Amino acid sequence: MEEFLKEFGDYYGYPDGPKSITEIRETEFKRLDQGVVYLDHAGSTLYSELQMENIFNDFTSSVYGNPHSQSDISSATSEIIADARRQVLEYFNASPEDYSCVFTSGATAALKIVGETFPWTQDSNFVYTMENHNSVLGIREYALGKGASACAVDIEEAANQPGQLASSGPFIKVKSRAVQTRNTSKLQNEESRGDACNLFAFPSECNFTGLRFNLDLVNLIKENNEATLEGTPFAKSKRWMVLIDAAKGCATQPPNLSEFPADFVVLSFYKLFGYPTGLGALLVRNDAAKLLKKTYFSGGTVAAAIADIDFVKRRERVEEFFEDGSASFLSIAAIRHGFRLLKSLTTSAIWMHTTSLSMYVKKKLQALRHGNGAGVCVVYGSENLNLSSHKSGPTVTFNLKRPDGSWFGYLEVEKLASLSGIQLRTGCFCNPGACAKYLDLSHSDLLSNVEAGHVCWDDNDVINGKPTGAVRVSFGYMSTFEEAKKFIDFIVSSFVSPPTKIGNGIAVNGRFAQLSSEELESKESNPGYYLKSVTIYPIKSCAGFSVNRWPLCRTGLLHDREWMIQGLTGELITQKKVPEMSLISTLIDLEEGLLVVESSRCEDKLYIKIKSSSYNPRSDEFDSHDNILENHNEESRINRWFTSAIGRQCKLLQYSSSTSKQCLNRNKSPGLCRVLESNINFANEAQFLLISEESVADLNRRLEAKGKDSNRDLEKLNPHRFRPNLVIAGGEPYAEDKWRTLKIGDGSFTSLGGCNRCQMINISNESGQVKKSNEPLTTLASYRRVKGKILFGTLLRYEHDAKVESWIRVGEAVNPDRE
């Protein structure tokens, strides 16, 4: 802290404000004392508890009504809305004589209004910077649909050019990329386009890197477009209008519209002060608004309409012309309390405070080195780290490298950060142009990624050796040095490799520690492995039951994960969403052909009849759930029971062979399983999960040591915490990592590799109470992490022989064939 304040003390903490940062956190953000480090203010900042208290007092002491009326309450509400409009314009230093504030459902809705009402013609051009949100790129569809041209451009800026006066300001040049058009007969010529309107769009701050754009672009495009656009196909085009996407930038440096009179500015209020969500605004110059062509009309936008003939008279005020339906008047009333908060701190002080934190993090990240001297972090868009001339907002976007130069996947960073209580954002942040530009992804790279199945928010974070997105942390007015420091400490402890050191528990070249080959061979010469327990989980994510012997079949253990619970909208319901599912116990009586289910939330046990043919070990297929649930009444009875048991509407589904070669990926969309030839029910990746008692014992020793270091008791784990089908005993910890095949009794199995663990193993069930923590996944991540995966346990495939009836028995010898 002393080092930080030495460099940033004049910027950090609101030294001249009504409250220091310490007082703000203690009085207005007490909910963050629970250990949450929130670093996604570019996505949405946090609302203040005092702000919400003031809103609540306002709403409980005032009466607000629909403003489309002449009653006293409606008139008073209209005044509140008018006052809110004035505050928005004031925030951007926009004169009400020149600008109008149109309330929308968000920045995206405001951009949609511009796109669909802009007077596009075949001679129009839509030009936008590469660094733009998808919501801005979407305007392209309106432009191209009307025959206009569209083009992405890069902005080049230099201090001044030879012969240019220093006082004349920065030199800005626009460099165009390929021109897009759907009008094949359109000719690009050097003649003036006459009265055709053109639109130039850029963000005040890039939401990918945080880099701020020079707002001089507004005046240069509007008044000196021929020189600014020189060398592009648009240099001769006249009548340019300018749109600024201020959704990201206005939280710390809102565009000054008296100095940079853009025609359109869009924003969302949750980016400013957290609440309300679902409300934004379009600031539009009044002279530009007259050129917009709106087709639809609604109750709030017409002065008169006749139902049975083609007649409508629209309202003339800009706000009334564009705001369809009743305004979100309660949300609009709430923004006044948010602006009061920002005014008390001032945007300049907020900028200084948040920038000090982002600068500190950037410098620390860029200085990190692995033990072999290789750099750890690549920070995007942060060439200038001189605070006095810094041109970025409070955003830090980066990717991390291993000592060998390969990339850590951004999902690995996000997963481990979450375990440490740090909330950040990963991906491309809906900014494909900036993502491709800074990650150096060519068109062929992008198309290849799409062909490989990569889409937004999926698990493909590194493809062909290149990252497909990045990690972003961003700061808000209530962020603290302690949060920034905790983030840096997390990066160092989780991703920076110390000098190579051989020894038990020390990661070596990105792989978890193993005994040497000689040691392992000597230990395994007479390992004495045997099967300690067998557990079947009939219903995915519910509790299982242990047996002494059980039949094997084509899909592994008979009836294992043969059923799952599905929400009414089709989503798979698991313990990740509903931890209480662990309290649902299951049992299968093979003799009676019954699945018995029990829950403390339900008075009666549930009995489901299983047809005898479905538990024949030699059966090639299972019946669909329509055959199991013999009629509608039976199906309704079962679904009502599970709805009561988990507290939400759901239904029980049984495995069907037609789905045996698919599984669900992170986003619950169909994806290929690890081994297509493997026949599994509703298991995620494999028929069996094997856990070693000795590996669990080693983990418990690490947890015990960690608990002593932190003066807290960490729960001792039972192997069944990891939901294994097979628990083995004997040998050394993690010896199973090296097994290729194994025999258990007469059964033959093939190893599919380690099991990638998720936060589900952090859910415990003690005396009927479900508890969540960050262990044991955090400890496992410290020594069992390989290429972004936290491995514990081994996945197996059963080599099924349909001609032989096979059973597996507790106590049978386990004979591995090691690599």
Side-chain angles (χ1 to χ4, degrees), residues 532-567:
K532 185 74 175 290
S533 72
V534 176
T535 305
I536 297 91
Y537 304 90
I539 304 174
K540 184 178 178 69
S541 268
C542 294
F545 65 98
S546 295
V547 296
N548 289 324
R549 58 194 296 270
W550 198 257
L552 296 170
C553 64
R554 178 180 54 82
T555 59
L557 289 167
L558 183 63
H559 299 311
D560 185 55
R561 288 160 294 188
E562 187 174 331
W563 290 267
M564 75 171 189
I565 300 175
Q566 186 183 56

Side-chain angles (χ1 to χ4, degrees), residues 229-401:
L229 298 172
E230 184 181 359
T232 73
F234 319 108
K236 298 297 183 180
S237 299
K238 308 296 183 183
R239 206 173 184 185
W240 283 91
M241 304 171 79
V242 178
L243 181 154
I244 298 178
D245 176 8
K248 171 65 180 72
C250 67
T252 51
Q253 285 190 338
N256 184 340
L257 296 184
S258 66
E259 186 177 356
F260 308 106
D263 298 279
F264 311 102
V265 178
V266 303
L267 70 146
S268 290
F269 292 104
Y270 70 93
K271 305 272 190 177
L272 286 173
F273 30 70
Y275 182 89
T277 57
L279 183 69
L282 167 65
L283 275 59
V284 55
R285 283 187 63 85
N286 294 328
D287 54 356
K290 295 175 183 177
L291 300 175
L292 301 182
K293 300 177 180 179
K294 186 168 183 282
T295 302
Y296 179 74
F297 68 86
S298 64
T301 61
V302 294
I306 299 177
D308 55 351
I309 63 172
D310 182 9
F311 174 83
V312 60
K313 179 177 175 57
R314 299 174 184 267
R315 294 186 182 272
E316 296 183 357
R317 287 187 56 214
V318 174
E319 302 94 331
E320 294 176 327
F321 186 82
F322 284 104
E323 290 177 357
D324 292 319
S326 298
S328 182
F329 51 89
L330 291 180
S331 294
I332 294 171
I335 68 173
R336 299 173 302 145
H337 302 285
F339 278 121
R340 185 179 301 128
L341 182 154
L342 296 186
K343 286 180 181 179
S344 69
L345 295 174
T346 74
T347 53
S348 60
I350 293 173
W351 178 84
M352 290 190 292
H353 172 77
T354 55
T355 300
S356 70
L357 295 171
S358 62
M359 289 283 287
Y360 166 78
V361 168
K362 287 176 183 177
K363 289 185 174 183
K364 288 293 185 183
L365 289 177
Q366 290 186 339
L368 293 177
R369 293 290 182 272
H370 287 295
N372 64 357
V376 174
C377 187
V378 176
V379 179
Y380 302 111
S382 296
E383 294 79 9
N384 180 8
L385 292 182
N386 183 348
L387 189 58
S388 62
S389 58
H390 193 51
K391 295 182 179 179
S392 289
T395 296
V396 186
T397 304
F398 62 93
N399 271 312
L400 299 173
K401 284 191 168 184

Side-chain angles (χ1 to χ4, degrees), residues 527-531 552 690 726 728 739-751 796-801 804 806-809 811-818:
Y529 297 110
Y530 68 96
L531 186 60
L552 296 170
L690 178 147
L726 310 176
I728 63 168
W739 296 352
R740 290 184 305 172
T741 61
L742 63 151
K743 288 185 73 69
I744 303 177
D746 296 328
S748 297
F749 301 82
T750 299
S751 172
L796 302 177
R797 180 182 67 227
Y798 172 53
E799 303 302 335
H800 176 58
D801 183 351
V804 178
S806 298
W807 291 67
I808 195 168
R809 296 169 176 82
E812 288 183 317
V814 176
N815 297 298
D817 177 13
R818 193 170 62 86

Side-chain angles (χ1 to χ4, degrees), residues 29 46 57 303 356 433 454 464 556 609 636 666 675 688 754 756 808:
F29 292 91
L46 300 176
N57 290 337
S356 70
H454 175 51
N464 296 325
K609 184 69 176 175
S636 297
R666 183 187 190 211
V675 180
F688 294 86
N756 184 23
I808 195 168

Side-chain angles (χ1 to χ4, degrees), residues 77 81 105 173 343 550 566 618 671 686 690 701 730 738:
T77 303
I81 294 175
S105 64
K173 188 71 175 176
K343 286 180 181 179
W550 198 257
Q566 186 183 56
R618 300 186 185 184
L690 178 147
R701 285 191 291 271
K738 290 287 188 177

Side-chain angles (χ1 to χ4, degrees), residues 464-653:
N464 296 325
K466 283 187 175 183
T468 60
V471 183
R472 185 185 73 186
V473 296
S474 49
F475 298 94
Y477 73 84
M478 76 299 294
S479 297
T480 65
F481 166 76
E482 289 77 11
E483 291 176 316
K485 178 67 164 55
K486 183 174 180 179
F487 169 72
I488 292 296
D489 291 343
F490 154 71
I491 294 293
V492 171
S493 64
S494 301
F495 298 98
V496 179
S497 296
T500 302
K501 181 179 178 182
I502 302 298
N504 193 28
I506 305 298
V508 181
N509 295 328
R511 291 191 61 83
F512 47 77
Q514 296 281 3
L515 295 172
S516 69
S517 297
E518 293 77 11
E519 289 177 304
L520 196 55
E521 287 174 2
S522 65
K523 294 288 186 181
E524 290 190 337
S525 60
N526 185 23
Y529 297 110
Y530 68 96
L531 186 60
K532 185 74 175 290
S533 72
V534 176
T535 305
I536 297 91
Y537 304 90
I539 304 174
K540 184 178 178 69
S541 268
C542 294
F545 65 98
S546 295
V547 296
N548 289 324
R549 58 194 296 270
W550 198 257
L552 296 170
C553 64
R554 178 180 54 82
T555 59
L557 289 167
L558 183 63
H559 299 311
D560 185 55
R561 288 160 294 188
E562 187 174 331
W563 290 267
M564 75 171 189
I565 300 175
Q566 186 183 56
L568 294 188
T569 57
E571 77 279 10
L572 173 63
I573 299 178
T574 68
Q575 279 191 40
K576 293 178 186 178
K577 292 182 179 180
V578 186
E580 291 75 15
M581 289 181 68
S582 64
L583 303 178
I584 299 177
S585 63
T586 58
L587 178 68
I588 287 180
D589 186 328
L590 290 179
E591 294 296 327
E592 296 294 329
L594 287 175
L595 167 62
V596 184
V597 192
E598 190 173 5
S599 169
S600 59
R601 292 185 173 182
C602 301
E603 292 184 6
D604 299 323
K605 293 181 181 181
L606 178 66
Y607 295 89
I608 302 175
K609 184 69 176 175
I610 304 173
K611 285 197 172 183
S612 58
S613 61
S614 70
Y615 63 84
N616 180 353
R618 300 186 185 184
S619 174
D620 290 331
E621 302 290 346
F622 290 145
D623 293 334
S624 71
H625 75 281
D626 291 328
N627 292 329
I628 300 298
L629 310 181
E630 295 176 351
N631 55 60
H632 179 72
N633 291 335
E634 178 72 353
E635 185 172 347
S636 297
R637 177 184 72 87
I638 292 171
N639 293 340
R640 283 197 304 271
W641 191 95
F642 279 100
T643 294
S644 299
I646 70 170
R648 63 175 67 187
Q649 290 286 319
C650 63
K651 59 184 177 180
L652 181 69
L653 294 183

